[in-house]
Amino acid sequence: MSGRLTLAIPSKGRLQEQTAAFLADCGLGLSLDDGDRGYAARMAAAPAIDVRLMSASEIAAALRDGETHLGVTGEDVLREADPGLARSVLIKPLGFGRADLVVAVPQAWIDVTAMADFADVCADFQARRGRRLRVATKYLRQARAFMERHGVEEYRLVESAGATEGAPGAGAADAIVDITTTGKTLAANGLKIIPGGVILRSQASLVASRTAPWSADLMAPLERMLDIIEARGRAKAMRLLRLAPGPGGPDLVIERAAALGCKVAGAAEGALLELYCPADAVFSVCAALQDLLGGMLGVFDADFIFERPNATFETLKDALSASVR
Amino acid sequence: MTPAEARAAVRAVVEAASPVWIDPPIVQPGALYLELLGEDVRRRALMLQDEDGADLCLRPDMTVPALRVALAQTPPPPPPLIAYDGLVFRKQASGSAREREFVQVGAEWIGRAWPAAQTPETEVVARALEGCRAAGVEPALTLGDASLVGAFVRACGVGAPWDARVLRALARPDGLRALRDALAAPVREDPMAAAIASLPQENAERVLTEMLRLGGVSLVGARSAGEIADRVRAKYFTDGETKPSAAALELLSALVAINAPLAEGVASMERLLDNPALTKREEARQAAASVAAHLAALGEQVDLPARTHFAPGLMRGVGYYDGLVFELEAASLGERASLGGGGRYDALVRRLGGEPDLCAAGFVLRPQRLAEAAS
């Protein structure tokens, strides 16, 4: 693996489609290596990176065990494989694959409106019936840590293999810890989320492994890939404004624009002034600048907006400093 | 002294009390441990799976496996004193200095409705100290009483459901802060709950069942509509009155924070009895007097180490003690200071044996650490 940067991405399902779409949107479109029966791919725009296709939980384990440098996986499965994220670094959430890891109990438990109630109910049940309430989950470690944090003691975890939300209806459990996106599946199974029972708001994330064989020569391709991803994200969050600085010169406009959250792209003498403006503030900024200058002002979309130093890369480099050999 | 010599020395001390030695299986049913001690077991015990997927565990202590053998003996009653000497296994973080396997030698006294004059706690502590000294170690002793904090909680006028919540909070780090947050949080009750709570008990269950049916809510899980209705009523009628006051929480955290030389620690506890947060002062007085008398008797009958502390918050990391509890330590071993300990655990033995009047107390020592501390 030395000399090549490896990136593991999901190999199936909606997460695979969304990851491929995300990379393609960044100009990092994948081409599958036919020779590897679909388990490896390349990115033409980043030839120094080997892409591997694995299941999301395999990716979490590979990141933990240092078998890949980078990976895209859900924070929920990552935290289950690597509690406390001792062996991996969350680089950035990617904005898709959103799901909440929650504690859900039967809707009929109208007395349970907080985690403290759940702790009481577990203790009551143990005292009355001499056995523990059962909580079905695939997320044993996170469930256990959350219950402990909320003083829930008298319960038992039941490891579920398949559809966890069906366990109470099937009589295999009394409550569950599972992921949900809309809560509809929970409701259809007669369950509700306990207020205050959200363990994690998860989404697909770009993750680095601390235990992978990092070397100094991998930093350049890593920085280049993160430059591209960040530049694409920045381009979506900003608009390019082009305007004549007016008779007062650029300084007044630059000062006003900076106060409105804009960054200056370029201000050569006698040329048009170019500003990067937060997309969600574009019309209020335009109005303010028009009030100041009058004249014409163009608003453009950028495909990419690069910026160095790349804060995301620098933060990651610091976090990996102990791992680079 | 070698670990083997320390083990033989402790064994000889236990043998002098004429126990029945028990050699329980190393592989124990995981489900039993999970039921008895809770999910914390998964973090402490090395869990295995049987061919059919059933949970098994390598015994993480000797007390429960030895008691199971003793209580299964026919015909009853179980022997009044059992002893054991064997390896136990614990899960540790990779790279931890803590032991994954180590020998425990110990003894457990089992009885029925012990009369006050015949409770064996004095002998339990005396034998445990004798075991340490036979291995050449003068340990530090910390004494506590698991019933004391509960009595103070009740004496502060804290009732269900808050008494159990306060006890749980006091037992874990940062628990009190979480409890204060929970107390400050606005109560968001289910709209159905108010209607149910206003009904007489005999109607509440029927109305709840009907409301769920009309709402299209299926009742899944093991709790019955009756249990839910009962708790809704209990929660509504008692919640406000039984909440702990800020002053009560202050008092209780002061109580569990006490960890001082015996006489000084007892005096600190007694000073707390004047606190105005104790609205049912008599209950706290009686509990404190009983603990103080117990400790005084212990001091008269047992040659206690020079470094003997009283710490009412002492739990020993397992939730099952319900009376005297004690810990033996060698400070020279750092994070592995614990040499053993023990206490009174009636509720656990009752759950294991299914008899409502069973009583038990015992101690356990770790010869390998004793040998290390002695050298």
Side-chain angles (χ1 to χ4, degrees), chain A residues 84-103:
Chain A
L85 300 188
R87 302 187 193 187
S88 40
V89 186
L90 275 178
I91 304 173
K92 67 178 292 159
L94 300 178
F96 56 84
R98 288 180 197 274
D100 292 344
L101 185 63
V102 302
V103 185

Side-chain angles (χ1 to χ4, degrees), chain A residues 120 129 132 148 157 174, chain B residues 35 39 43 165 222 227:
Chain A
D120 294 343
R129 306 272 198 100
R132 292 167 186 260
E148 190 179 325
L157 290 177
D174 307 296
Chain B
E35 276 297 327
E39 283 297 322
R43 210 179 35 204
R165 292 179 181 179
E227 282 173 307

Side-chain angles (χ1 to χ4, degrees), chain B residues 189-279:
Chain B
E189 289 307 344
D190 188 293
M192 254 200 267
I196 299 292
S198 65
L199 298 169
Q201 187 180 7
E202 59 272 25
N203 292 342
E205 176 180 354
R206 198 169 48 75
V207 173
L208 174 63
T209 308
E210 193 60 15
M211 281 170 122
L212 293 175
R213 195 184 62 76
L214 289 171
V217 175
S218 54
L219 183 55
V220 296
R223 282 181 89 208
S224 68
E227 282 173 307
I228 297 165
D230 281 356
R231 184 161 180 278
V232 167
R233 285 168 44 83
K235 198 177 156 187
Y236 252 79
F237 289 127
T238 61
D239 205 51
E241 308 142 37
T242 64
K243 274 187 184 177
S245 62
L249 292 181
E250 197 93 350
L251 166 70
L252 294 166
S253 52
L255 179 69
V256 298
I258 293 172
N259 186 348
L262 196 49
E264 192 188 320
V266 170
S268 299
M269 167 185 73
E270 285 167 346
R271 270 198 301 279
L272 292 177
L273 291 170
D274 297 328
N275 193 302
L278 292 170
T279 52

Side-chain angles (χ1 to χ4, degrees), chain A residues 44 192 308:
Chain A
K192 64 170 182 182
R308 287 271 178 94

Side-chain angles (χ1 to χ4, degrees), chain A:
Chain A
M1 197 152 54
S2 73
R4 308 278 303 165
L5 194 61
T6 51
L7 167 67
I9 63 170
S11 58
K12 57 187 179 196
R14 183 121 180 83
L15 213 49
Q16 184 258 322
E17 289 164 23
Q18 288 172 314
T19 305
F22 170 81
L23 291 171
D25 181 62
C26 290
L28 297 169
L30 295 166
S31 54
L32 290 180
D33 288 0
D34 288 339
D36 288 300
R37 285 182 294 168
Y39 295 117
R42 300 194 170 276
M43 297 184 291
I49 299 176
D50 287 341
V51 179
R52 295 170 183 190
L53 284 80
M54 305 159 89
S55 80
S57 57
E58 282 169 356
I59 293 172
L63 286 162
R64 177 194 62 204
D65 299 338
E67 287 157 10
T68 180
H69 294 104
L70 302 169
V72 172
T73 188
E75 195 179 338
D76 54 343
V77 289
L78 182 70
R79 285 190 182 273
E80 194 60 24
D82 181 17
L85 300 188
R87 302 187 193 187
S88 40
V89 186
L90 275 178
I91 304 173
K92 67 178 292 159
L94 300 178
F96 56 84
R98 288 180 197 274
D100 292 344
L101 185 63
V102 302
V103 185
V105 297
Q107 286 174 341
W109 294 12
I110 58 173
D111 55 330
V112 176
T113 53
M115 283 302 293
D117 285 315
F118 185 62
D120 294 343
V121 165
C122 288
D124 282 355
F125 190 84
Q126 161 80 18
R128 280 177 189 236
R129 306 272 198 100
R131 62 186 177 88
R132 292 167 186 260
L133 283 176
R134 297 154 304 160
V135 179
T137 189
K138 296 195 224 356
Y139 299 87
L140 297 172
R141 286 165 146 172
Q142 290 170 94
R144 193 157 60 237
F146 190 76
M147 297 298 176
E148 190 179 325
R149 201 151 65 241
H150 286 86
V152 183
E153 287 166 359
E154 314 281 329
Y155 72 104
R156 263 193 73 183
L157 290 177
V158 183
E159 192 165 3
S160 87
T164 308
E165 65 278 355
D174 307 296
I176 67 167
V177 167
D178 203 14
I179 50 165
T180 176
T181 48
T182 61
K184 280 183 188 156
T185 317
L186 292 177
N189 284 280
L191 302 174
K192 64 170 182 182
I193 300 170
I194 300 179
V198 177
I199 300 173
L200 176 71
R201 296 197 188 280
S202 174
Q203 55 177 300
S205 300
L206 180 61
V207 182
S209 167
R210 287 183 204 271
T211 52
W214 287 101
S215 58
D217 59 339
L218 293 176
M219 290 297 130
L222 175 63
E223 182 172 27
R224 183 170 159 180
M225 186 182 97
L226 291 179
D227 276 348
I228 295 170
I229 291 173
E230 290 295 90
R232 181 64 184 149
R234 204 174 286 118
K236 287 186 166 177
M238 299 188 119
R239 295 283 178 276
L240 179 60
L241 308 189
R242 215 173 273 161
L243 66 160
D251 290 352
L252 180 67
V253 183
I254 290 170
E255 192 184 316
R256 184 88 179 101
L260 293 165
C262 300
K263 290 185 173 183
V264 180
E269 196 64 41
L272 286 176
L273 190 57
E274 299 204 330
L275 300 170
Y276 294 119
C277 167
D280 54 5
V282 68
F283 293 127
S284 59
V285 169
C286 287
L289 293 176
Q290 290 264 276
D291 289 348
L292 188 69
L293 298 169
M296 295 177 80
L297 190 167
V299 179
F300 303 85
D301 269 343
D303 286 340
F304 293 88
I305 303 173
F306 287 89
E307 186 176 23
R308 287 271 178 94
N310 179 338
T312 303
F313 170 73
E314 299 299 334
T315 307
L316 175 60
K317 198 175 150 191
D318 285 348
L320 292 176
S321 59
S323 312
V324 176
R325 284 175 290 271

Side-chain angles (χ1 to χ4, degrees), chain B residues 71-151:
Chain B
L71 295 168
Q73 177 185 300
T74 50
L81 178 59
I82 60 167
Y84 46 79
D85 173 5
L87 273 177
V88 301
F89 305 85
R90 299 274 171 90
K91 202 182 262 181
Q92 307 290 1
S94 19
S96 165
R98 291 165 180 271
E99 301 85 344
R100 251 188 215 93
E101 53 178 272
F102 56 91
V103 171
Q104 282 190 339
V105 182
E108 313 290 339
W109 283 253
I110 309 167
R112 244 169 237 285
W114 275 325
Q118 285 169 30
T119 58
E121 282 100 326
T122 306
E123 191 181 357
V124 173
V125 175
R127 293 276 175 192
L129 287 170
E130 206 185 318
C132 292
R133 287 167 180 156
V137 177
E138 182 64 12
L141 170 65
T142 306
L143 294 159
D145 189 299
S147 66
L148 186 68
V149 181

